[in-house]
Amino acid sequence: MADRTEGTDSTGSTGSTGSTGSTGRSERTALTARTEEADGSGGAHRPGTARPAPAAAAGRTVELVLRDITLWTASLVRQFPELSEELAPGRRSPAGTAPTAPHPGRDELIREERREALLLEQRHGLSVPGHGAAPIRLHISDAIRDITDGVVELEEAVCARLALPRPRRAGVIERLRRIVGLLDAVAGHPDLARHVRDEIRRMARRCARTLGDAETVVRVSGRCPWCDSVSLRAFPDRRAVLCVNPACVCTDAACGCQDDPAYRHLWPEDRWGELSDASGTRTEEIEAAMDDTKETSC
């Protein structure tokens, strides 16, 4: 009887100890799971394994966006004044050609264009010459109005987002320079940086399309590091090399080629050495292409 009692007591004690150990392990497991869930590791991290650096990736994305803003702004600053020059050019007919007969609705067209010119001057302070050898070009005045309004709205939006006072009135070029001066602050707001990039890129492209003047393009030897195509071209006006292959897509999720069909990979002057190593071309050739005034067939 004593033996059976001792056995019972021993068995009961053993069962209690096992239950307590199991409960402790369960509590530790749950605590570990909650800890991993709180710090976002999810149990995937192991000692000695480097965790991804989302902050570094985000920083690179913003850096690329700011670079694009600078490049597109420089293009717009360079080309926008040309719109006013092209608004009412006095072009003569080629020598030896007879003057054309006046169009039946010419007088009404002139009156309409004068009204448009007056409205443009009132809204934007532009001095538009009266009717001369050629009427004002309405598609150019539309582009001037769109870009002017767009730059004004963009600067006001940037200042509002950065909690800055409303910007004082100024011309388009001065406003663009002020926006560039705020890029250090804009870098802290990735969504704002992308919005600024998209808007300035849109306006720069419209300006270029309206002028209809193609940039000088010079062929560069070597192959694009991303698409392996012989599509590298030097653009002297931008002091940059671009891949003109529309199907060129890289593996960088932060690159504009991922979501913009019109995007082209670009290597500014400070990255020509990197491009030279990856493409097989020489930096001396790139520098010579930037000084070449003759456009090559592409």
Side-chain angles (χ1 to χ4, degrees), residues 230-258:
V230 286
S231 52
L232 296 177
R233 303 291 184 270
F235 287 74
D237 290 346
R238 308 188 204 182
R239 297 289 296 175
V241 178
L242 281 76
C243 173
V244 296
N245 177 15
C248 182
V249 178
C250 70
T251 58
D252 188 352
C255 184
C257 70
Q258 303 292 329

Side-chain angles (χ1 to χ4, degrees), residues 12-252:
S13 173
T14 302
S16 175
T17 303
S19 174
T20 302
S22 175
T23 302
R25 285 193 298 273
S26 299
E27 291 175 351
R28 288 194 297 272
T29 302
L31 179 60
T32 301
R34 287 194 298 270
T35 303
E36 291 175 345
E37 181 179 358
D39 65 13
S41 63
H45 178 66
R46 296 291 183 270
T49 303
R51 293 183 179 179
R60 170 170 169 74
T61 301
V62 172
E63 180 183 352
L64 292 174
V65 171
L66 295 181
R67 184 199 68 182
D68 288 348
I69 292 174
T70 303
L71 292 171
W72 285 113
T73 302
S75 174
L76 187 54
V77 167
R78 184 178 66 253
Q79 292 188 318
F80 181 77
E82 299 179 19
L83 290 177
S84 296
E85 297 175 6
E86 293 292 327
L87 190 60
R91 303 197 177 207
R92 298 180 180 179
S93 301
T97 59
T100 57
H103 190 275
R106 180 172 178 270
D107 292 338
E108 179 59 30
L109 179 62
I110 292 174
R111 284 192 292 270
E112 178 63 29
E113 288 168 347
R114 284 176 175 170
R115 286 193 294 268
E116 178 73 12
L118 179 60
L119 177 62
L120 184 67
E121 182 175 359
Q122 291 173 341
R123 293 187 60 184
H124 306 292
L126 294 175
S127 178
V128 181
H131 177 73
I136 64 172
R137 299 175 175 181
L138 297 183
H139 71 288
I140 294 181
S141 69
D142 288 342
I144 292 176
R145 180 167 55 249
D146 174 53
I147 294 172
T148 302
D149 292 346
V151 171
V152 171
E153 293 172 2
L154 180 61
E155 187 186 22
E156 291 181 349
V158 169
C159 290
R161 179 66 180 275
L162 299 178
L164 297 174
R166 185 172 182 177
R168 65 184 184 277
R169 296 184 63 179
V172 170
I173 304 303
E174 177 62 23
R175 286 182 181 272
L176 287 171
R177 289 172 176 159
R178 292 196 308 225
I179 291 173
V180 172
L182 295 174
L183 288 187
D184 288 342
V186 170
H189 305 270
D191 57 334
L192 177 62
R194 287 191 295 270
H195 174 69
V196 173
R197 188 269 315 270
D198 294 344
E199 279 298 296
I200 292 183
R201 180 174 61 190
R202 176 190 68 80
M203 292 184 285
R205 284 176 174 169
R206 175 159 191 185
C207 184
R209 287 196 307 268
T210 303
L211 290 172
D213 294 332
E215 288 186 76
T216 300
V217 182
V218 182
R219 182 187 295 273
V220 176
S221 65
R223 292 181 175 273
C224 173
W226 294 116
C227 64
D228 199 37
S229 173
V230 286
S231 52
L232 296 177
R233 303 291 184 270
F235 287 74
D237 290 346
R238 308 188 204 182
R239 297 289 296 175
V241 178
L242 281 76
C243 173
V244 296
N245 177 15
C248 182
V249 178
C250 70
T251 58
D252 188 352

